[in-house]
Amino acid sequence: HDAQDAMQETFLAVYESSKNYQAKGTPLAWILGIARNTALMKLRGANRETVRPQEYWDEIQVQMPEAAIEDRQ
């Protein structure tokens, strides 16, 4: 599912930026660069959205009793 989303976003980015394409290299290299950047952005976004299990928060509460529930985000 994530790979399909990345592929769709890549095709959209290629289409939207095609007017800015400059023939300095091969079109394939340009498209692969967009694909790489799209995949990296998705990976970075996925890392930010990691859901922590309750055990993780329980351990933090034991280690840092002063930590508030609001600090979990």
Side-chain angles (χ1 to χ4, degrees):
H1 189 265
D2 289 338
Q4 291 173 341
D5 289 345
M7 185 175 67
Q8 186 174 15
E9 288 177 30
T10 298
F11 282 121
L12 185 60
V14 167
Y15 176 76
E16 289 176 343
S17 61
S18 62
K19 62 185 174 291
N20 299 327
Y21 173 70
Q22 298 174 359
K24 293 181 180 176
T26 65
L28 179 60
W30 177 69
I31 292 170
L32 290 176
I34 293 173
R36 180 195 64 230
N37 292 338
T38 301
L40 289 173
M41 286 189 303
K42 290 199 74 62
L43 286 171
R44 288 179 189 132
N47 288 339
R48 286 189 207 126
E49 297 173 9
T50 301
V51 177
R52 307 276 186 195
Q54 185 60 42
E55 294 80 23
Y56 174 85
W57 300 115
D58 293 342
E59 183 63 28
I60 288 189
Q61 189 66 33
V62 168
Q63 293 176 3
M64 300 174 51
E66 71 278 2
I69 291 175
E70 294 81 22
D71 294 334
R72 295 181 182 191
Q73 303 192 10

